Amino acid sequence: MNNTIKIIIGLGNPGKQYYHNRHNIGFLILDKLASEYNLVWQKKSDYESAELKLKNEKITLIKPHTFMNNSGKIIPSLLKQGIKPENILVVHDELEKPFGKVELKFGGSHHGHNGLRSIIEFCGKDFMRLRFGIGRPQHKNDVPQYVLSNFNENIIDIEQIIDQAIVIIKELLQRQP
């Protein structure tokens, strides 16, 4: 298996009204990563992409604009280009982790995350994930409202945790052949 990351997909919802929502942490992290490398986002029909050159390899950053529940619709075109699931890193929010806990994981189920559910539907579960802990509301019925609400934690803390996520991504990319 070739685990070289060629695609990084940040999960989120398009539109300014969603930008600072917990569910949009994938977009926030990719925007910060693109900014650090001075990348320019190119608008496509249902996504934005930016190209990163690292060690003479191209890594494509993607922000799907199909809304969270349909994030996986980008996958068939990637598979046609020869991208395998193990070449994909998905950056997403994680209810099952406490706020600020960031970790890499390979494979696994969607645990009720509709963006992951959509991606798994199109390519299976064997891809890398960067899970950004957003914590969980006290009551299960509050989850939809919770993930679509803005962070209420200190914005400085969020920026520092996004920076930690960027370090993890950069370390992962640097370890690649």
Side-chain angles (χ1 to χ4, degrees):
M1 181 181 340
N2 177 1
N3 283 355
T4 301
I5 300 300
K6 297 179 180 179
I7 302 288
I8 303 175
I9 301 173
L11 297 188
N13 287 309
K16 290 180 182 176
Q17 70 271 31
Y18 300 108
Y19 191 72
H20 293 285
N21 289 179
R22 289 176 174 88
H23 230 10
N24 269 44
I25 196 65
F27 281 13
L28 293 169
I29 290 171
L30 260 60
D31 282 343
K32 177 74 181 239
L33 184 64
S35 174
E36 288 200 9
Y37 285 104
N38 297 312
L39 306 180
V40 177
W41 289 102
Q42 303 293 320
K43 292 187 187 293
K44 311 291 183 180
S45 62
D46 57 355
Y47 65 95
E48 287 180 79
S49 67
E51 302 293 331
L52 170 62
K53 282 282 214 176
L54 197 63
K55 297 182 180 179
N56 294 321
E57 293 293 325
K58 180 178 84 166
I59 300 163
T60 304
L61 282 55
I62 296 175
K63 296 189 299 183
H65 284 188
T66 52
F67 287 93
M68 185 65 74
N69 294 358
N70 295 310
S71 297
K73 288 189 173 186
I74 189 74
I75 299 295
S77 67
L78 298 175
L79 297 176
K80 285 181 187 172
Q81 296 172 42
I83 302 296
K84 294 177 174 43
E86 61 263 22
N87 301 132
I88 298 172
L89 169 64
V90 176
V91 181
H92 65 91
D93 59 300
E94 178 63 58
L95 281 168
E96 304 307 323
K97 298 283 175 208
F99 174 75
K101 175 85 170 156
V102 181
E103 68 178 22
L104 286 171
K105 177 184 179 186
F106 184 82
S109 74
H110 56 74
H111 292 287
H113 191 294
N114 288 330
L116 289 177
R117 182 188 319 264
S118 179
I119 289 175
I120 289 169
E121 176 184 326
F122 286 98
C123 72
K125 59 182 178 55
D126 292 333
F127 55 90
M128 186 68 75
R129 301 124 190 258
L130 183 95
R131 302 160 58 183
F132 187 104
I134 62 169
R136 172 177 276 291
Q138 199 168 17
H139 303 289
K140 186 176 182 177
N141 292 343
D142 294 338
V143 168
Q145 180 182 343
Y146 180 76
V147 299
L148 292 176
S149 64
N150 289 348
F151 287 100
N152 58 8
E153 293 79 8
N154 186 328
I155 194 69
I156 294 168
D157 294 340
I158 294 166
E159 289 298 322
Q160 290 173 345
I161 300 164
I162 288 173
D163 288 344
Q164 290 173 20
I166 298 297
V167 167
I168 291 170
I169 292 170
K170 286 179 174 180
E171 287 174 355
L172 175 66
L173 298 177
Q174 289 296 329
R175 290 194 309 258
Q176 296 189 141

